[in-house]
Amino acid sequence: MPLPQAEYLPNISYDSVIFGFSGEKLKILVLEYHNMETYALPGGFVKVNEPLDEAVKRGLSERTGLDEIYLEQFHTFGSIDRYSPSVMRKMLAEQGYIYEDHWLFGRFITVAYYALINYENVVPKPDELSDSIEWYDYDKLPKLMMDHSAIVEKALEHLRSNLDQKLLSFNLLPERFTMKELQQVYEGILGETQNRANFQRKMLSFNILERHEKLFSGGSHKAPFLYSFKK
């Protein structure tokens, strides 16, 4: 029996918007249920003996293989429309579990988190009910189940707010990066082009970047400096 009720808190779940950056595009990790043509955010349930934040960290680690992840709770979704027992019934049936009644068929209030991770460090793993998990460009997301599209939009709205103050929490970049790469992250999140000179001036004014050697690629163009965030 999957997810026995005695082990989990009823009627509460979490959903995670996992942001990654490919170098050019802001990406989001999405679960796929191929036989149902259904797509969803990675989520899960809270065990009776664990804090909510630990449940979310556990789920993210299982999906991404990473333990050190920037994670932030940003909203709770509790619309009465968050109720779709037929979808969950079919998900279980696809895995060979047939139930007339199950605690997963109830209405759930979900606590939403977003995570920032380095796209290149992840080997995505699906959960026990889904067929696969894939990265999608933010601007090319498939239609998501229930209110998951609204959860994505709210997460991006929250990420965009006070973005400068969240710089040190970025896990979207390698340990050392160029100013251009940092600018591309900003542009991917904000959805708008930044003036190169103004952006560099602003970033350096924060006094949070440490400059390292130049990145020589063997080309004839001017080699850019590498940067890291100060510890």
Side-chain angles (χ1 to χ4, degrees):
M1 179 180 180
L3 303 172
Q5 182 172 2
E7 292 185 17
Y8 294 89
L9 297 175
N11 304 107
I12 184 166
S13 61
Y14 65 84
D15 285 296
S16 302
V17 183
I18 304 175
F19 290 111
F21 193 71
S22 67
E24 294 182 357
K25 290 280 190 175
L26 186 67
K27 290 184 175 285
I28 294 175
L29 209 52
V30 175
L31 289 168
E32 303 180 26
Y33 305 85
H34 292 298
N35 291 340
M36 299 173 57
E37 297 184 352
T38 299
Y39 300 85
L41 293 172
F45 307 97
V46 185
K47 293 181 179 180
V48 295
N49 61 348
E50 70 180 342
L52 173 60
D53 284 355
E54 291 303 313
V56 180
K57 290 177 183 177
R58 170 175 54 81
L60 287 176
S61 180
E62 291 170 356
R63 303 309 198 289
T64 66
L66 303 179
D67 293 320
E68 297 298 324
I69 296 176
Y70 176 77
L71 190 65
E72 187 167 336
Q73 183 185 133
F74 66 91
H75 199 71
T76 300
F77 292 81
S79 168
I80 200 165
D81 296 328
R82 300 198 88 259
Y83 180 60
S84 186
S86 61
V87 172
M88 184 57 71
R89 185 176 281 110
K90 190 172 182 181
M91 285 181 183
L92 289 174
E94 288 291 340
Q95 301 298 323
Y97 302 104
I98 309 298
Y99 299 103
E100 286 299 319
D101 188 36
H102 194 284
W103 70 282
L104 294 177
F105 300 160
R107 174 189 164 205
F108 281 81
I109 291 174
T110 197
V111 183
Y113 289 73
Y114 72 82
L116 302 175
I117 61 178
N118 188 333
Y119 170 85
E120 296 181 350
N121 292 345
V122 177
V123 180
K125 292 183 179 179
D127 61 24
E128 60 184 298
L129 296 179
S130 59
D131 301 297
S132 63
I133 185 169
E134 301 289 346
W135 288 105
Y136 283 85
D137 292 347
Y138 163 70
D139 56 3
K140 294 182 180 178
L141 286 178
K143 179 177 173 58
L144 302 178
M145 66 180 289
M146 291 198 299
D147 58 353
H148 287 199
S149 293
I151 294 175
V152 170
E153 292 307 312
K154 191 72 174 179
L156 189 57
E157 175 187 319
H158 199 277
L159 176 58
R160 285 171 172 170
S161 66
N162 301 314
L163 184 56
D164 295 339
Q165 283 70 42
K166 294 170 183 171
L167 266 180
L168 291 176
S169 303
F170 274 3
N171 290 328
L172 298 175
L173 289 163
E175 184 176 349
R176 295 190 179 188
F177 48 86
T178 64
M179 189 66 69
K180 181 180 180 181
E181 288 172 326
L182 180 58
Q183 182 175 334
Q184 287 174 325
V185 169
Y186 260 72
E187 291 175 342
I189 293 172
L190 297 175
E192 57 188 30
T193 302
Q194 304 287 301
N195 177 274
R196 185 179 65 82
N198 290 344
F199 179 81
Q200 177 165 315
R201 190 178 303 114
K202 182 175 80 168
M203 291 299 106
L204 294 178
S205 73
F206 291 152
N207 196 31
I208 59 173
L209 296 177
E210 183 174 347
R211 194 168 78 173
H212 303 281
E213 72 279 3
K214 290 186 175 183
L215 177 64
F216 290 100
S217 62
S220 59
H221 61 279
K222 185 178 179 181
F225 283 103
L226 287 170
Y227 293 87
S228 66
F229 292 116
K230 291 181 178 180
K231 303 297 184 182

